[in-house]
Amino acid sequence: MTRHTDDDGDAGDANGTNERGDDPVAERAATDGGVESASGGAESATGGTDSTELDPDAYDPVDVFPGGDLDLREGADSCYKCTSCDTSCPVAEVDDEFPGPKFQGPEQWRLKRKEDHDIDESITSCSNCMRCDDACPSSVPLSQMHNEARGQYVERQMEKLSVEYIRNRILANYRTSASLASKFPRTASFAMNFGPARWAMEKVMGIPKERDFPEFATETFREWWKARGGAKVENPDKRVAYFHGCYSNYNTPEVGKAMVRVYEHFGYEVMVPPQKCSGTPMFANGMLDDARRHAETNVENLVEAIGQGADVIASCTSCSMSLRQEYPELFDLHGIEDLAEHTFEALEYLRIHEDLEGELDAAGGLDDERAFAYHAPCHARNQGLSRQAVETFRDVDGVTMEDVGDSCSGISGTYGWKEEKYEKSMEIGEEMFEHMEDAEGEVGMTECPTCAMQMEHGTGYEIEHPLQLLEDALGA
Amino acid sequence: MAINSDVLVVGGGLAAVAAAVSAAREGADVRLVSHKASTLRQASGLIDALGYVPATEPAKPLRDGPPTAGRNLDPDEWPDPEGPLADPFEGIDRLPESHPYRVVGGDALRDGLDLFDDLAGDAYRGGHTERNALVPTFGGAVKPTARYPAAAEAGLASDDRPMLVVGFRSLTEYDARAFAGRLEAAGVPFDVAGAEVEFAEAFRADAKITRVAKALDHDEEIDGVPAREALAKAVAPHLHDVVDESGGVDRVERVGFPAFLGDDEGDEVREELADRLGADVFEIPMGPPSLPGLRLEDRLFDALDAEGVRFETGNPVVGVESASDGRVETVAVDRNGRTTPYGADAFVLATGGLVGKGLDSDREGVREPVFDLHVDQPEDRYEWFVDDAFGDQPYARFGVRPDERCRPADAEGNVQYQNVFAAGGVVGGADAAREKSASGVSLATGIVAGRQAATEASQ
Ligand SMILES: Cc1cc2nc3c(=O)[nH]c(=O)nc-3n(C[C@H](O)[C@H](O)[C@H](O)COP(=O)(O)OP(=O)(O)OC[C@H]3O[C@@H](n4cnc5c(N)ncnc54)[C@H](O)[C@@H]3O)c2cc1C
Ligand code: SF4
Ligand code: SF4
């Protein structure tokens, strides 16, 4: 809680030296990247880079890896076994075999301090929804403990040639498959959902046949951005760097486009730095090395954008969670704290910096009535954002927005994509499905792309992102 | 730009909800910001108003010197608390003058309980009378309480029908026989037996109560039998376990379970079990972890939504950002490492006591970390405790000291900020654990703080 509280001040100052001397358009071209190849250079660079003008003394690098492991003793010690965390765990609620967050966190941590205690295999059943973090009155860093234990389990105890490991690795590296598939979007969407192929995937890979693979867009967000010629608004005083994440790039570029149009409506200059996966699916599968490689690229490019006066915006709540909380908890990369401090979820940022309600009021609402069943993703909940969509749209004419309750959707990223978890994932989601069907709206709404998949899968509803509604309501 | 509202409530427990709703009903635009889930999740779900009036003076005059410290001396002797009280209002006058009930008045408690009845609706009972009900709890006590969940209704100790209490062999925390024994020892006016049955064995050894609740909600099959039927079958052989004084055997008319009979579908689960057993079924509050507390929390947050209160949970308020001439203008909310200013015309502090983290203690003393309000405490740490564990512990009454409008006072007794109001566990002066008054204090101070904040904001 005593992390820096000073605002953009220091980044702004640091960047004052190179500020606006350069042509902002040229500068943008350099960071826009457009297509993947532009990130090639960043790829080889690791950690502490000198590519920005930021003052290295302004950082307090995380020094929590004294012996290679995170030192979480203090966290473990402050657990007073109240079991609040256990009562909020969606997995423990349906899975007999899962001992719950209290065991996975403080208890397992204590156990493995002693002798050569192996990490309990059940750690792989934790879906990394991070609800337990929110529940603990003592601020025990439960999800950090889980991430670390899972990483250690996968690294030291998991059979690297097992189908499970390979499957998890493929799921975790969704970006790689998505990037390939997006080269042939129509074929990929068809082939992955093609009966015999699905059957084989279930049998060989443990991917449940019930799930439909998300469709791939025929034009990715980055392709669109490049074809459009990048930003339409230049504004050295109001800049945001968009972290689109894999999903809105490859699958739902309409979310990214809505983000761009809404922000330009408010006069922001949008930058789209080169980037990789946020790492969320990798944390959840204990693939910390993979996550770290991606984080290096992201931190480097986003910190550079911050140096140019931008704040970082994500439209996926797991991405913003990852940049804000999991990165600094797990890695000690140069600039990581600065990135955490400058990262926001897209709607959140507008609510803080603009008179969104006034603007919506002035825009006069929608022409036709629309009703939505809104589900707050767990990772929105943890950032205090679970109510933002309901509150933003509550007074907009023509919009009915109903919160479908606080149950977890059950998919939790890759969790629901595993054959052995599929049924549990649907059981967790059942309450949400029921509430969606009870709600007036026939369209679902959420900030999380995987929750959206689950909502669609469980109810057949079409799902939108709040930014898309915002775009419509503002006439942006 | 700051995020603005007329009234900003800091906290997410019972006091915060009471304050937010009462301010909203006065017409204010209200926002509630809570860091974590509230302590309701650990609490029993019972709403206590005042069950006992504990003595504040020892039986014999205090020995010379500081009231404690002397480890070699005999502990002071303290008289037993007065109670259980049949009428919580009748005891208020005998509480110390600085007690929040004395400060805000008995009508505030009445209004607070009315507000609670309104928000809890048919999920709670007890509102038909001003008297306390006696509810058995798994701690083995019979507790005087003002409001209790409908699920606990058939278990009241004032009811004289014979009772069976069910425990589970595999869940050793709920020892039904010991519980029955303690109830008898407490002199309840009915016959009671405890039985340990086989049911929870179907789950893993330390299955979470939420797991059992969910299985009952969905009536999942357990070894081929639907969960509710399986549970009823396990209990049925014990319906004649009660033996009265003359050795006669009675069929029980009510059966009590630990409080995990379903979550969303609790009413339905209880009804079906009652049908199958031919006896009323009730839950015995316990905690933590507490399903009745969780259910209440859900209900209260739904009520916030219905009242048009904006709320967010997950981020703490970390301090005052700007203040001028005795008024706070904005506070800082920490959003994952970065602070955002939240402005309001009036603020309610409802962050709880030492458990809710509304008060912070270390070797230096006890602090209120958000507004840095004055916390009344003896300078000498030795004076925080008395030797007798059952004595009047000064630390139990630590907290901020409000005036009749719930505005906390500084060390000199002057109002610290004109537009800051405090409610619930963060307020000092009550010994909630000994008095059984925690929720009542939260409701009474919550409703006053909320109304006063709305009034202040409309100035
Ligand atoms: C184990 C246990 C059993 C109990 N049993 C009973 C019982 O049987 N009967 C009864 O009447 N009462 C009982 N209580 C007490 C009751 O549930 C409440 O704790 C009491 O009413 C105090 O409520 P509160 O609203 O003041 O604070 P709390 O419920 O403690 O809530 C405080 C809230 O403030 C939030 N908060 C703290 N600091 C900040 C910050 N800086 N910024 C934002 N938010 C913050 C916390 O996250 C929390 O949500 C029990 C409590 C416990 C812990
Ligand atoms: S992160 Fe979610 S699934 Fe994992 S232990 Fe915590 S609450 Fe349970
Ligand atoms: S909620 Fe926190 S303090 Fe309570 S049992 Fe879980 S880790 Fe421990």
Side-chain angles (χ1 to χ4, degrees):
Chain A
M1 243 176 277
T2 47
R3 291 198 227 156
H4 305 226
T5 52
D6 33 357
D7 53 20
D8 3 27
D10 53 13
D13 293 345
N15 117 78
T17 46
N18 79 334
E19 211 185 15
R20 312 317 143 223
D22 313 336
D23 171 9
V25 180
E27 209 176 285
R28 200 171 58 243
T31 49
D32 279 352
V35 278
E36 275 332 303
S37 56
S39 66
E43 202 136 4
S44 54
T46 47
T49 124
D50 299 317
S51 64
T52 64
E53 306 286 307
L54 293 166
D55 172 11
D57 295 336
Y59 297 115
D60 41 335
V62 183
D63 193 18
V64 288
F65 294 85
D69 288 339
L70 299 163
D71 187 8
L72 297 167
R73 168 167 305 133
E74 210 187 315
D77 284 352
S78 53
C79 168
Y80 65 110
K81 300 205 186 323
C82 69
T83 63
S84 283
C85 52
D86 286 349
T87 53
S88 64
C89 175
V91 173
E93 199 172 81
V94 298
D95 185 351
D96 271 356
E97 304 301 317
F98 186 60
K102 175 164 59 97
F103 173 81
Q104 301 297 357
E107 284 172 13
Q108 177 143 276
W109 194 88
R110 272 184 223 111
L111 270 179
K112 78 188 164 76
R113 295 291 101 175
K114 290 197 199 125
E115 305 127 39
D116 246 352
H117 220 285
D118 272 355
I119 292 177
D120 194 78
E121 189 191 341
S122 58
I123 190 71
T124 57
S125 289
C126 158
S127 73
N128 198 34
C129 71
M130 301 169 93
R131 275 185 183 244
C132 44
D133 271 3
D134 218 20
C136 175
S138 241
S139 296
V140 174
L142 286 149
S143 67
Q144 188 182 6
M145 290 173 156
H146 300 162
N147 275 334
E148 191 231 6
R150 213 168 19 234
Q152 230 179 65
Y153 173 82
V154 169
E155 188 190 308
R156 298 186 195 159
Q157 287 160 246
M158 206 168 175
E159 180 53 66
K160 297 299 174 299
L161 291 175
S162 69
V163 168
E164 192 188 354
Y165 176 81
I166 296 168
R167 189 261 330 259
N168 288 359
R169 194 127 189 222
I170 291 175
L171 284 174
N173 285 279
Y174 174 76
R175 184 177 172 282
T176 310
S177 336
S179 150
L180 277 175
S182 74
K183 305 258 177 347
F184 312 97
R186 290 197 190 83
T187 327
S189 297
F190 172 76
M192 304 233 297
N193 290 312
F194 177 59
R198 298 295 293 111
W199 179 84
M201 264 190 253
E202 173 163 23
K203 291 297 160 226
V204 184
M205 298 299 304
I207 292 178
K209 63 177 176 314
E210 290 86 351
R211 292 246 179 240
D212 289 329
F213 277 91
E215 291 221 9
F216 289 95
T218 45
E219 183 187 42
T220 66
F221 171 77
R222 296 191 78 96
E223 285 164 357
W224 172 80
W225 178 252
K226 195 180 175 208
R228 179 189 201 245
K232 292 255 159 77
V233 173
E234 284 166 26
N235 186 348
D237 300 325
K238 279 172 97 173
R239 285 185 171 167
V240 291
Y242 180 36
F243 188 82
H244 46 66
C246 310
Y247 207 79
S248 81
N249 188 38
Y250 298 114
N251 302 95
T252 55
E254 58 278 10
V255 171
K257 293 178 198 171
M259 184 274 161
V260 169
R261 292 185 192 122
V262 165
Y263 270 74
E264 289 190 344
H265 173 90
F266 283 102
Y268 286 89
E269 176 175 335
V270 178
M271 301 160 81
V272 184
Q275 52 190 270
K276 296 196 164 182
C277 171
S278 69
T280 303
M282 299 158 186
F283 300 143
N285 286 287
M287 318 269 171
L288 292 188
D289 290 344
D290 289 350
R292 188 187 177 92
R293 270 199 309 281
H294 289 249
E296 282 166 359
T297 303
N298 293 335
V299 173
E300 172 161 333
N301 290 302
L302 295 172
V303 164
E304 190 174 322
I306 293 168
Q308 290 163 18
D311 281 319
V312 177
I313 304 301
S315 50
C316 160
T317 40
S318 294
C319 292
S320 57
M321 186 71 173
S322 174
L323 302 182
R324 283 174 142 176
Q325 182 176 326
E326 289 170 307
Y327 278 17
E329 275 179 0
L330 295 168
F331 309 127
D332 56 350
L333 300 172
H334 180 78
I336 211 161
E337 289 281 350
D338 205 44
L339 172 58
E341 274 182 38
H342 284 89
T343 300
F344 298 83
E345 194 279 330
L347 185 55
E348 172 192 24
Y349 190 78
L350 292 176
R351 277 164 52 93
I352 295 171
H353 295 280
E354 303 294 329
D355 178 14
L356 197 51
E357 278 166 35
E359 197 79 14
L360 281 167
D361 219 22
L366 297 180
D367 298 334
D368 48 339
E369 300 273 324
R370 290 162 75 189
F372 297 90
Y374 174 75
H375 161 76
C378 296
H379 288 178
R381 211 164 277 287
N382 302 331
Q383 295 171 71
L385 305 177
S386 63
R387 296 283 303 171
Q388 62 171 9
V390 176
E391 286 173 2
T392 303
F393 297 110
R394 178 146 64 187
D395 298 326
V396 175
D397 279 347
V399 180
T400 307
M401 183 76 59
E402 220 170 313
D403 190 337
V404 297
D406 65 358
S407 119
C408 168
S409 79
I411 191 165
S412 282
T414 59
Y415 177 84
W417 278 96
K418 300 175 181 172
E419 197 208 335
E420 71 278 15
K421 301 287 191 284
Y422 174 75
E423 267 178 44
K424 285 170 194 139
S425 138
M426 294 302 281
E427 249 180 82
I428 297 172
E430 192 169 307
E431 196 180 313
M432 180 190 73
F433 304 144
E434 283 166 10
H435 289 179
M436 281 179 72
E437 306 206 327
D438 289 346
E440 197 184 310
E442 300 280 289
V443 175
M445 175 163 285
T446 191
E447 285 93 343
C448 169
T450 47
C451 288
M453 276 183 220
Q454 177 87 334
M455 292 164 82
E456 187 185 340
H457 184 59
T459 61
Y461 287 15
E462 180 198 330
I463 316 296
E464 280 193 28
H465 190 284
L467 284 171
Q468 293 171 276
L469 177 58
L470 192 57
E471 182 189 3
D472 292 346
L474 289 170
Chain B
M1 208 182 106
I3 292 176
N4 290 315
S5 49
D6 296 343
V7 173
L8 182 75
V9 177
V10 185
L14 193 56
V17 172
V21 171
S22 57
R25 289 189 176 178
E26 298 287 311
D29 163 39
V30 184
R31 179 182 290 280
L32 176 147
V33 179
S34 171
H35 185 197
K36 301 278 183 178
S38 77
T39 51
L40 285 170
R41 295 193 171 200
Q42 304 156 49
S44 59
L46 297 177
I47 301 297
D48 302 342
L50 185 64
Y52 295 88
V53 177
T56 51
E57 297 293 333
K60 286 184 285 186
L62 281 178
R63 289 153 298 158
D64 287 341
T68 173
R71 290 188 184 278
N72 302 326
L73 302 173
D74 294 333
D76 295 320
E77 276 172 33
W78 290 80
D80 287 338
E82 181 199 334
L85 301 179
D87 174 356
F89 294 97
E90 159 280 318
I92 291 181
D93 287 347
R94 295 194 299 286
L95 294 169
E97 238 173 79
S98 56
H99 192 283
Y101 285 159
R102 296 282 303 271
V103 177
V104 296
D107 281 342
L109 175 57
R110 264 189 199 93
D111 292 353
L113 289 169
D114 283 349
L115 177 70
F116 178 83
D117 292 341
D118 190 25
L119 300 180
D122 59 5
Y124 269 75
R125 301 278 194 268
H128 60 291
T129 162
E130 285 214 334
R131 299 173 70 78
N132 277 326
L134 290 172
V135 177
T137 69
F138 249 113
V142 173
K143 181 165 175 168
T145 190
R147 302 290 184 269
Y148 46 91
E153 189 172 25
L156 293 194
S158 47
D159 184 335
D160 59 8
R161 293 176 298 164
M163 176 192 285
L164 173 72
V165 180
V166 175
F168 300 96
R169 242 163 257 161
S170 56
L171 297 180
T172 44
E173 307 96 281
Y174 316 113
D175 185 337
R177 286 164 213 270
F179 173 85
R182 281 194 295 261
L183 275 185
E184 291 210 300
V188 291
F190 50 84
D191 295 317
V192 52
E196 244 89 69
V197 307
E198 234 179 272
F199 168 70
E201 279 77 357
F203 303 91
R204 65 169 283 134
D206 53 354
K208 304 291 161 262
I209 61 159
T210 47
R211 171 80 193 98
V212 182
K214 186 109 177 171
L216 288 166
D217 262 357
H218 293 187
D219 208 7
E220 277 172 33
E221 296 214 339
I222 311 261
D223 301 332
V225 185
R228 299 173 193 173
E229 185 186 333
L231 180 53
K233 277 194 171 142
V235 174
H238 298 279
L239 291 170
H240 291 88
D241 279 9
V242 171
V243 180
D244 66 23
E245 268 163 37
S246 54
V249 171
D250 252 338
R251 189 181 194 285
V252 298
E253 291 175 41
R254 46 185 180 153
V255 182
F257 294 86
F260 52 48
L261 300 181
D263 185 1
D264 283 349
E265 311 296 336
D267 291 345
E268 201 184 295
V269 174
R270 260 181 297 119
E271 248 165 62
E272 180 170 342
L273 287 174
D275 265 2
R276 290 181 177 277
L277 292 172
D280 282 347
V281 164
F282 64 95
E283 289 186 335
I284 302 163
M286 58 193 199
S290 162
L291 274 178
L294 271 169
R295 296 180 195 131
L296 176 59
E297 186 184 66
D298 282 352
R299 190 128 189 149
L300 293 177
F301 274 82
D302 286 349
L304 281 183
D305 197 12
E307 301 280 338
V309 172
R310 295 153 200 276
F311 57 89
E312 62 182 68
T313 58
N315 299 319
V317 177
V318 291
V320 171
E321 186 136 292
S322 74
S324 67
D325 58 3
R327 302 180 69 81
V328 174
E329 279 157 13
T330 50
V331 294
V333 175
D334 180 328
R335 296 179 159 220
N336 297 64
R338 162 157 189 154
T339 59
T340 303
Y342 279 52
D345 296 325
F347 297 83
V348 175
L349 179 73
T351 46
L354 287 162
V355 180
K357 304 284 181 243
L359 298 174
D360 212 2
S361 77
D362 58 25
R363 297 213 62 84
E364 303 300 306
V366 184
R367 319 188 304 119
E368 185 286 297
V370 177
F371 293 96
D372 204 12
L373 299 171
H374 172 69
V375 177
D376 216 30
Q377 56 194 288
E379 269 220 1
D380 184 348
R381 262 183 87 89
Y382 281 120
E383 293 182 19
W384 288 11
F385 309 93
V386 295
D387 287 347
D388 188 334
F390 300 101
D392 189 50
Q393 298 290 353
Y395 71 85
R397 297 184 190 273
F398 285 177
V400 303
R401 285 299 159 96
D403 67 0
E404 72 291 347
R405 295 184 63 200
C406 281
R407 291 173 306 180
D410 63 17
E412 280 76 48
N414 303 315
V415 168
Q416 206 162 334
Y417 294 110
Q418 291 297 331
N419 65 341
V420 173
F421 302 83
V426 74
V427 169
D431 185 346
R434 285 202 309 156
E435 296 162 4
K436 307 291 174 218
S437 63
S439 294
V441 168
S442 292
L443 289 168
T445 53
I447 202 162
V448 171
R451 283 179 184 159
Q452 293 296 333
T455 309
E456 187 64 30
S458 66
Q459 302 283 298

